[in-house]
Amino acid sequence: MAAEHVAQQKRTPTVVETFPVVGISCAACARSIESLSRSIPGVQRAVVNVATATVTLEYDPLEVQPADVASVLREFGYDLVQTEDTATALADAAARERRALGQLKNRTVGAALATAPVIVLGMGPWHTQRWAILLSAALSSAVVLYFGRQFFVRAWSQIRARALAMDTLVALSTGIAWGWSLVAALIPAQLQALGIEPHVYFESAATIVTFILLGRYLEQRARMQTNAALLALVELQPRTVHLRRNGVLTDTPLTQVQRGDHIVVLPGERIPVDGIVVEGQSWVDEQLLSGESLPVAKAPGDRVYAGTLNGDGTVSIEARAVGRGTILGSIVRAVERAQSSKAPTQELADRIAAVFVPAVIAVAALTAVSWVVFAPDKASSLGLLSVVSVLIVACPCALGLATPTAIAVALGRAAQHGILVRNARTFDVLLDLAHVVFDKTGTLTQGKPTVVHAAWYLPELERRDYAPLVRAVLERSTHPLSQAVAEWLNVPAAGECTVEQVRGRGLRAWNDSHTILVGNRAWMEEHDIEVPAESQVAATEVFVAMDGKLVLAVWLRDAIRNDARELVEYLRRRGVVVHLVSGDRRDAAEHVAAAVGIEHILAPALPQEKQDYVRQLRQGATGYVAMVGDGINDAQALAEADTSIALGSGSDVAVHAADVTLIGERLSLLIALIHLAERLRRTIRQNFAWAFVYNLVLIPIAAGLLYPLSGVLLHPMLAGLAMAASSVSVVTNSLRLRYTS
């Protein structure tokens, strides 16, 4: 029987899949989802990534299916998005998150509009009049029970999942404050008969709900685009293809393509599969794999890859890999795994709340018991007031705002500098960096070829005559090298000629008077044209010959960004080890590394090798590892790093995959971001210090600790004012970040 069981286990291995989850708002949600998922028979492991709003499940398919997990999570307010189509799943999750964010915004605005008059009614000279109390009761009831109902729903879910957190304390404190106030508003005479003053605290309950809603909205809005990277990668593959079967060309869904099918790709279209060119010639932009901006010539027998961009020729391709079996599919899976393998985001406030909430509840219960035991004659009056004061004064408003408010201000300040930060955890990571890995092309360099040296082999007079014709020939080509040389010539194009492009070689042009060749060294040698000896400088060569003689030699190189060396030197002064990884030639990478001061180089490197390099650094590092890139081929490494930075001028995939986007082309913005991170850390520490001092001092006073000695008892009204003052102090301190240079 044991042998049969082992054999059965071998026949049914566990499945590991990642699913988007709608409704994740904090680390407590992650703990709840993980706990609930693992409680289902057949689920061996569940890891939630708060930043990407996903859950990775490892399960036995014979015992449980994702639909079973989704059913359980739905009972607790979470929605597991499941579909076989990755793009559809991500798009569906994104649409639901946008709807949820819109609903949260409406609740926040509605709560604020209803809270404002409650504050005016509670603080004005009419606050004791009956009409003001009843109106406050109605408005605060709308805020607490309607706009803030999610706190009570989530609190109940957290209690059921045995994961008490911020929502639990928010629901308890607002519920007690609102409930006590409602009783005081409805039966004031009965309370007075018991010797209890019927004070109401509607403004405290409403303000708490509004502040917390605002913090949740700011946090969720900042997380909205985290899954856009995977969606952008998947969308690089077209949904339909031009399939040729039995000589007939039809538009067919990509999902119906099989290995061995022949697919026709027109100029300007993305290649949908991995395969072999069987007919036609073209240039293909393969930045997806190499990161290099120069197109690659393709002819029959050459390999092509899904997601790469076809140039100006029509090619027929024999499919060798389709869908998730392509290299692009492997990149998608690698990004999924890298993002989901990160530990769930443990926000400091939620970690504290995991201990703080039970402690506050215990203090409130102990307060009630102490009054009953030591002052039974006053337990129904002063004892009840003390319990209410403890719950009100212990409201985590300042604690809950300490981090998100400071982060929200820092995010806004970063945006003013031209920096988009998608993951607030990045601020902490940047201050504890051990390694920074840079891509080369488009990151440390500008990503486009420029002329660094040129030599004419014509007299000045002939040069002026022939340069316009040469430019006219070059402008007939879409190749980046031709365009760069044409721009360098800086003369108007003139002259008519017929131009033929020769894949992998260059151009041939002719008219009634001249024959012109433009291309690489091999193209010249084929026509017995003598060219200069190979240069020892790492640069790309372009030669122009006219009527069998060399007339121009040009050397091009990708220019280094002006502030690249400044950034590298700044990082090295902070003790950070700087690396360069590139898909380009080793000599080109070494040239850039030497120019900016980088010693550690990996080149040439494929996307998987870049990811492996970053992973190895993370495994051996005592601090964090950051990746800075701009291309699609950097997406895996960006996802693998502890934090990732992309240039806004780079590919959409890199921008979406990154935690930080530097808008424009200034690497020095990263220095400004690190300075902002330092200020943010100090501000958050100050906020938490104030919040803790406030709670440590006022909770014992609210419980009545000073009453036996001095008769001092913190009134609930004063507790509400103190709570508000604490929140204002935290917000005011956070706003100082707006003036960070």
Side-chain angles (χ1 to χ4, degrees), residues 69-89:
V69 180
S71 178
V72 172
L73 294 182
R74 198 171 295 116
E75 296 180 11
F76 291 85
Y78 306 105
D79 195 358
L80 186 76
V81 180
Q82 47 182 324
T83 177
E84 295 182 358
D85 185 356
T86 303
T88 302

Side-chain angles (χ1 to χ4, degrees), residues 434-448:
H435 301 272
V436 173
V437 181
F438 286 95
D439 172 50
K440 180 181 75 67
T441 304
T443 302
L444 292 174
T445 66
Q446 296 178 4
K448 58 183 180 181

Side-chain angles (χ1 to χ4, degrees), residues 22 94-108 216-224:
V22 178
R96 297 188 192 193
E97 287 287 357
R98 282 193 295 270
R99 289 196 297 270
L101 182 64
Q103 294 170 357
L104 180 56
K105 179 180 179 180
N106 292 337
R107 288 199 300 271
T108 303
R216 290 286 169 85
Y217 170 74
L218 295 174
E219 179 184 358
Q220 188 169 331
R221 188 179 64 174
R223 294 193 300 107
M224 269 299 296

Side-chain angles (χ1 to χ4, degrees), residues 85 237-245 249-259 261-263 272-273 319 322-323:
D85 185 356
Q237 284 185 305
R239 300 296 181 90
T240 59
V241 301
H242 310 302
L243 181 65
R244 178 181 289 160
R245 283 180 180 167
L249 193 64
T250 58
D251 287 344
T252 305
L254 178 61
T255 54
Q256 298 181 16
V257 175
Q258 301 176 2
R259 179 181 170 87
D261 284 342
H262 282 205
I263 296 168
V273 298
V322 182

